[in-house]
Amino acid sequence: MDIVTAQEMYERDRVAMEAAGLEGELLMENAGRAVTYDLLRHILPEHKIVVLIGAGNNGGDGFVIARTLLNLGYDVEAWQVVPDTKISGDAEAHKRIFQASGHPYRRMNRSEDLNTSLRQADVCIDAMLGIGAKGRLREPFATIVHLCNEQSVLRLAVDIPTGVPADEGVDDFDAFKAHYTSIIEAPKQSVFLQQTEPFYGKWSVVEIGLPVKCFANHQRRLWEVSDLKRTMPERDAHSHKGSHGKGLILGGSRYMPGSVSMTARAALRSGSGLIAIATDRQAIPSIASFIQEATFVEYEEGGRAPDLSSYDGVAVGMGIGREAAQGGSDRTIGS
Ligand SMILES: NC(=O)C1=CN([C@@H]2O[C@H](COP(=O)(O)OP(=O)(O)OC[C@H]3O[C@@H](n4cnc5c(N)ncnc54)[C@H](OP(=O)(O)O)[C@@H]3O)[C@@H](O)[C@H]2O)[C@@H](O)CC1
Ligand SMILES: [K+]
């Protein structure tokens, strides 16, 4: 699964519209419906739901979600939290469809009114701001996000929690603290970053019909179990350990034997046939008691590294100690 920046997501949108002829309104309908059915896994029929609809296309998704839930018979209050003038383009088109379907919505004039609704709600769906949010939240979003985070309500976010930056490098922000986020098409970078990840809660990705084959090769990917299964080499039933590569792990020291043991264990678990460990002779007994399959090469801290020519892969440095790493061994290997 690709991991994208906001800019890359907009580019994908553009390609979908220009190369595949998918109109923005259709993408928004697909997005809203896919997110609704994803969120329904967390909603019970008796739940009272508040949908918060903001400016921009994330708000447009909100109108589709509110309409779909209402059509399905759920108890929904749709709150438009921005003035009418802020709703335009595809979002405005979906607001019209929402109204034409006979559904009412409320306009937020005072945050106290919304707070009363939130207090009675079981679920709050955040469709206020998406990947277009920039900088610290302005009003009314800052106040609303604060109110939502204070209430004991199930908080579900659409695409990205309001206020969370989509990309890396921003740590000064307030945001909707979601219990669960339904991400549209591809996870954004901030899903994986220390300061932003907690705001997403649990998450999954919904597909909205973008023409994935039209996108350029992408370098940032989430490696999933299906990728692992797809790329794991098939083993010949009659193969032996010598048929599956020979690896050398150079590291560990008398007082730090653990990391090299774990590296060797991981290499063997992931399919390496033969593993040799080059380490301090005094560390060998403790490592050998943890890894019975490995063979050993004595390696003196700061000394010359062993001949690498007979190995298919080498891992260097874990538990080797700073002095040795800064001294001869890395230069020897590099030469
Ligand atoms: N394929 C896809 O990915 C699809 C994506 N879709 C959806 O579109 C979303 C992206 O839409 P988008 O570009 O309209 O951005 P979005 O965040 O909704 O709103 C921008 C608004 O926010 C405002 N604003 C900005 N910063 C602010 C701040 N700090 N504090 C307060 N306000 C702030 C800004 O106001 P301005 O700065 O212009 O005054 C502007 O009005 C995406 O997340 C997904 O949900 C689907 O519908 C279809 C397919
Ligand atoms: K949102």
Side-chain angles (χ1 to χ4, degrees):
M1 189 184 295
D2 292 349
I3 299 168
V4 297
T5 61
Q7 204 46 50
E8 286 163 348
M9 198 67 232
Y10 286 128
E11 175 60 16
R12 288 178 175 215
D13 257 358
R14 190 191 63 74
V15 171
M17 290 181 206
E18 288 175 12
L22 284 159
E23 296 296 335
E25 276 179 43
L26 178 61
L27 288 178
M28 194 172 279
E29 178 73 17
N30 288 356
R33 297 183 74 78
V35 168
T36 305
Y37 284 98
D38 186 37
L39 296 184
L40 276 176
R41 297 186 296 131
H42 304 269
I43 298 173
L44 298 175
E46 63 272 22
H47 276 163
K48 284 177 87 67
I49 306 165
V50 164
V51 182
L52 301 173
I53 299 169
N57 288 335
N58 197 258
D61 295 345
F63 276 115
V64 179
I65 292 164
R67 168 166 55 89
T68 310
L69 288 170
L70 284 160
N71 287 347
L72 290 168
Y74 284 85
D75 181 353
V76 178
E77 263 189 20
W79 281 84
Q80 181 185 310
V81 302
V82 291
D84 289 336
T85 48
K86 280 281 184 185
I87 311 263
S88 59
D90 298 332
E92 190 181 16
H94 277 288
K95 179 178 173 181
R96 275 200 302 272
I97 298 172
F98 180 88
Q99 289 175 293
S101 304
H103 300 311
Y105 72 97
R106 298 184 67 175
R107 274 270 315 280
M108 194 197 77
N109 297 315
R110 299 177 333 128
S111 58
E112 291 80 4
D113 299 334
L114 173 61
N115 203 24
T116 306
S117 257
L118 282 173
R119 257 191 252 122
Q120 292 158 1
D122 302 293
V123 179
C124 167
I125 298 180
D126 160 30
M128 292 184 282
L129 298 179
I131 59 174
K134 291 199 176 55
R136 285 191 76 86
L137 286 176
R138 301 191 298 267
E139 293 299 347
F141 300 101
T143 299
I144 299 171
V145 159
H146 180 70
L147 292 178
C148 294
N149 290 347
E150 294 274 287
Q151 296 293 340
S152 60
V153 66
L154 179 65
R155 291 183 291 276
L156 307 177
V158 178
D159 199 23
I160 182 169
T162 286
V164 170
D167 303 338
E168 60 188 321
V170 184
D171 51 18
D172 179 26
F173 63 90
D174 286 325
F176 185 86
K177 208 160 183 348
H179 294 105
Y180 177 80
T181 301
S182 186
I183 297 173
I184 296 171
E185 221 23 71
K188 321 306 181 267
Q189 281 190 166
S190 58
V191 174
F192 306 98
L193 300 174
Q194 191 180 355
Q195 286 103 337
T196 41
E197 184 265 354
F199 288 87
Y200 280 85
K202 294 194 179 308
W203 56 270
S204 50
V205 174
V206 297
E207 190 270 343
I208 65 165
L210 296 187
V212 285
K213 289 203 167 167
C214 298
F215 302 142
N217 263 350
H218 200 71
Q219 298 302 317
R220 252 171 286 112
R221 298 201 73 228
L222 180 64
W223 194 251
E224 296 173 284
V225 173
S226 56
D227 295 303
L228 185 69
K229 286 185 178 160
R230 183 172 47 78
T231 53
M232 218 39 183
E234 292 239 338
R235 286 210 171 202
D236 179 346
H238 302 291
S239 66
H240 57 83
K241 61 186 177 182
S243 325
H244 299 291
K246 189 171 177 192
L248 176 74
I249 295 167
L250 190 151
S253 54
R254 185 176 168 192
Y255 297 112
M256 290 188 281
S259 51
V260 80
S261 310
M262 287 187 273
T263 309
R265 171 63 57 227
L268 289 161
R269 279 210 184 129
S270 59
S272 303
L274 288 165
I275 287 293
I277 299 174
T279 192
D280 188 300
R281 68 188 283 199
Q282 297 193 67
I284 293 176
S286 63
I287 299 172
S289 67
F290 186 70
I291 306 285
Q292 289 87 357
E293 301 95 322
T295 56
F296 290 88
V297 179
E298 280 186 25
Y299 166 70
E300 201 182 318
E301 251 182 43
R304 275 192 74 79
D307 175 16
L308 306 181
S309 58
S310 60
Y311 299 101
D312 301 298
V314 184
V316 184
M318 62 299 293
I320 204 167
R322 286 178 193 277
E323 279 172 29
Q326 284 159 8
S329 60
D330 54 347
R331 270 184 272 138
T332 314
I333 286 169
S335 63

